[in-house]
Amino acid sequence: MAETCTRKLIVEVCNARSLMPKDGQGTASAFATVDFDGQRRRTKTKLRDLNPEWDEKLEFLVHDTDSMATETLEISLYNDKKTGKRSTFLGKVRIAGSAFVKSGGETLVYYPLEKRSVFSQIKGELGLKVYYIDEDPPAPPAEQKPEEKAPETEENKPAEEAKPEEEKKEEEKKEEPKTESNKEAKKEEEKPSPPPQEENPKKPEEAAPPVKVENPPLAESEKKPSKEEKEKAEIVKRSEVTISDLELRSLASDRGRSAYDLVDRMPFLYVRVVKAKTANNESKSPVYAKLMIGTHSIKTKSQSDKDWDKVFAFDKEGLNSTSLEVSVWTEEKKENEETTQECSLGTVSFDLQEVPKRVPPDSPLAPQWYALESESSAGNEVMLAVWIGTQADEAFQEAWQSDSGGLLPETRAKVYLSPKLWYLRLTVIQTQDLHLGSGSEAKVRNPELYVKAQLGAQLFKTGRTSVGSTSASSANPTWNEDLVFVAAEPFEPFLTVTVEDVTNGQSVGHAKIHVASIERRTDDRTELKSRWFNLVGDDTKPYTGRIHVRVCLEGGYHVLDEAAHVTSDVRAAAKQLAKAPIGLLEVGIRGATNLLPVKTKDGTRGTTDAYVVAKYGPKWVRTRTILDQFNPRWNEQYTWDVNDPCTVLTIGVFDNGRYKHDEAAEKQGKDVRVGKVRIRLSTLDTNRVYFNQYSLTVVLPSGAKKMGEIEIAIRFSCSSWLSLIQAYTSPMLPRMHYVKPMGPTQQDILRQTAMRLVTTRLTRSEPPLGQEVVQFMLDSDTHMWSMRRSKANWFRVVGCLTRVATLARWTEGIRTWVHPPTSVLMHVLLVAVVLCPHLVLPTIFMYAFLILAFRFRYRQRVPLNMDSRLSYVDMVGPDELDEEFDGFPTTRSQDVVRIRYDRLRALAGRAQTLLGDFAAHGERLEALWNWRDPRATGIFVVFCLVASLVFYVVPFKVFVLGFGFYYLRHPRFRDDMPSIPVSFFRRLPSFSDQIL
């Protein structure tokens, strides 16, 4: 891109709000300095204004478009004193380069001002628009560059003068160590520069032009302004990129670049067959190459040009021979005959013991010409390369793989990305000038209207509004209702808004809104402009009125496409609100053991073609399918960026039903789920590698079944503990979820819609990720009724209440003197609390600290997986499982549905009784204050009066001591009947007797 276009970063400094007064007179004269990639710009000063508006556009040149995502844009606000003194700091904003958007997608975003130190007094927010533009470079670059540099130096001078002295010192301190360390970084960058030219020996001329075109212009432009400063800035820039690459690898980095340190290196025999050369070059008969290793045999496609350039990867552990034979064959067609005759052009053999080994980052092995040994023909040659490598070889991804069936797309490893989702909010305000009818009908009838909007398959309607007995020309109904959709990029072309007349069941008219032109906003503070659209009827009615709406794409929300308890991403939809990742998640999918057969092969024996799908955030990864093995070994490693530690990684194992064992089979089956593993990242220690085997259990209509085990290696690395701790103190979801929340019902509808959109997009990929796979990974059936899940949740509640019951039994044991020494000790503790009340809280927190510190040694050291016992899969009946897998609506007979309904009624009856008891206790307490029982409330009033007089005379310490001794008295001094307060409370009225 650097050769064909120039990239500019545009920063629009719009305004600021609620700044901190810094001039001693309750105001501030603010200006902004913007730093990016060694360039600095400054805005004008707005005098005595805590809400300044600049509306200035600043341009920056992006020197390296590839590393723009690693750069940081910093905007600092200062109070301009203009008296020779240094300017005071008002706050700063730092924006990662990964949050920059292309021109056309920018929107006004208000960033809260950050402090420079803990003791800084900063408040307010800064409104910015940040985007970049790609434009063609000017024709004479040598003449234009000096002209571009001149205004930069003029702008930089006042910015440097206005810069505080303390910040200059801090920058000098930061730059000093960088210059020393960057010499080593520069050496490291110079070392790998030759290999890219050698990586592709086939086209050496492609590697030379970048060196000749790019470097000289850069050298000339750097020397003219200031050679030392430019070299220093370049070194600092390179070191920052190198450090970031070492600490956090990119999310988009391909699998070939990963270190593969979490998995075992699998040896593969690679054979790259490039082309052949025959003695009879004029022959245009199809030629193919054939590879044979013991019983393994594979051949290339027949081509007349003898140019294949194919790579074959054989699992070395599955080879049953020590020699490789590569032969070239020609298909000659006899005259006056339709059949073809295959003739061998020769064979070349390799001893596998002498094949060289290659380990990346070594350059690829160059192919060579080998003479073919043949008795019938001579002078034939084949160009090929043979080496032994691992799955980390870059040729592995596009090679024919022996363990996954070759080059079949449905068995290859792939990486998928979920579509970017937005909430689309349509506010229907009102309509005007509706043509509802003509003549006396329009005046007599009372039309009832509503508005429906459709985006793709999503359809929502407003409430109905009655126009009244008015003429057709004055029908102006008003709704002011919001309709929220889920929009996926690339967007549907149009949002269709239709006004419907319920009275006659006909459409009044419709309008189409182009989705790509809809305004985007990141918060509720951005004012949206409403728009009028003309309504169009059928061909005979080109105009039937107009509708007033407000529409926008909400970028401040995170669109939930997973169940809330297993979410893996909580970022807002707008890229401008994205924050830098706090860590890196590395997962090594090593293998599986003892998998059960899922299907039959050739109708005789069971087999399993297993592959693994891992999902975290928007990135889905799919391993290659290992065919016909019950103990497959994938040994594939993947990475994800982590933005929030309290998220969940989901890994699923499936049997490939789309792979055809029998070529005659026409119908493709569905992928069968083998099991699923979930790991919460917050339960992992940072920078520690976990090697564990997890049980794979799946719930089937016949019951729970253990399908085998999967071996996974996982590491959650974090470069900054401070960022990790700050993540725990920030809200889980973006700001808009709390400022303008959505109701539970609306959230559930939108979540199901988002799941369907993700499923549709991934099933249309190539190769497709099946609908059954995506829904199983996203838990799309969590909202469906299940007796098993209800029982599991019930026992979870009972488990929590058990702790409370244990504490109550322990207290009752002290009160009843079950263990006299403990009861005596509690009396002593009661006296100590009364005499020294200021030590109560320190004692409680110290006791909690000691308990937690003691339990640290017993913490869970293995990441928890899905628990079959907690899921209640071992204690559920067949009919309950059949009910769980039944669709909606049900497809079972009426007798079965009646039995299930009666069972559900019995369970709901117990639940409603429990809820009624809880409600009755709250209503009794409320009745005490509402005079619902005048006598009971009168007794309570007298008690309050007497208690106030008693507590006025009796010290509070004496009361606490007396009550404590009375509560802990010996059982011989205690009555078996309920106490007076308990009897009094149970006699209070509730609303239970008013329920029909």
Side-chain angles (χ1 to χ4, degrees), residues 74-135:
E74 183 170 334
I75 304 98
S76 302
L77 293 184
Y78 298 97
N79 174 41
D80 192 357
K81 291 190 174 182
K82 291 188 176 181
T83 57
K85 300 180 181 178
R86 66 181 181 89
S87 302
T88 53
F89 183 69
L90 293 175
K92 67 177 181 179
V93 172
R94 293 172 59 90
I95 305 175
S98 58
F100 300 161
V101 298
K102 196 171 184 179
S103 177
E106 71 275 6
T107 182
L108 179 60
V109 181
Y110 286 93
Y111 298 92
L113 294 174
E114 302 176 2
K115 297 181 179 181
R116 188 164 54 187
S117 64
V118 180
F119 303 101
S120 300
Q121 294 184 355
I122 300 300
K123 72 173 185 177
E125 53 191 7
L126 180 63
L128 301 170
K129 288 184 180 180
V130 183
Y131 56 95
Y132 61 88
I133 300 175
D134 292 331
E135 54 186 24

Side-chain angles (χ1 to χ4, degrees), residues 369-486:
W369 285 104
Y370 293 90
L372 295 173
E373 299 179 1
S374 176
E375 297 179 356
S376 59
S377 61
N380 300 325
E381 293 181 318
V382 62
M383 177 181 279
L384 53 84
V386 182
W387 72 93
I388 293 178
T390 64
Q391 75 273 27
D393 200 303
E394 61 267 17
F396 183 74
Q397 304 307 317
E398 300 302 328
W400 179 94
Q401 300 166 3
S402 62
D403 59 353
S404 60
L407 289 170
L408 297 176
E410 58 267 16
T411 62
R412 307 304 298 271
K414 292 293 179 181
V415 176
Y416 304 85
L417 287 178
S418 296
K420 190 174 182 181
L421 302 177
W422 296 73
Y423 284 144
L424 190 150
R425 185 184 299 273
L426 172 68
T427 304
V428 181
I429 302 174
Q430 65 175 356
T431 55
Q432 287 185 358
D433 194 23
L434 294 182
H435 296 180
L436 300 178
S438 59
S440 59
E441 271 186 36
K443 297 181 180 180
V444 174
R445 67 186 182 93
N446 187 12
E448 196 172 359
L449 305 177
Y450 70 88
V451 178
K452 71 176 182 181
Q454 184 172 4
L455 179 67
Q458 305 174 61
L459 180 65
F460 292 101
K461 301 177 182 179
T462 65
R464 298 181 179 182
T465 298
S466 179
V467 177
S469 299
T470 58
S471 62
S473 61
S474 62
N476 301 323
T478 303
W479 285 274
N480 286 321
E481 292 187 27
D482 285 348
L483 303 178
V484 183
F485 302 82
V486 179

Side-chain angles (χ1 to χ4, degrees), residues 242-272:
T242 305
I243 293 173
S244 63
D245 287 343
L246 290 174
E247 291 179 348
L248 298 174
R249 302 188 195 111
S250 172
L251 168 68
S253 62
D254 59 5
R255 299 166 58 252
R257 296 181 184 176
S258 59
Y260 278 78
D261 58 338
L262 299 182
V263 295
D264 297 332
R265 298 297 180 104
M266 298 180 65
F268 280 86
L269 174 65
Y270 289 92
V271 182
R272 181 184 179 188

Side-chain angles (χ1 to χ4, degrees), residues 181-201:
S181 61
N182 289 324
K183 293 179 181 179
E184 299 177 1
K186 189 174 182 181
K187 292 179 181 179
E188 292 179 358
E189 283 198 343
E190 292 174 354
K191 287 181 181 178
S193 56
Q197 299 178 13
E198 300 177 1
E199 258 185 8
N200 195 356

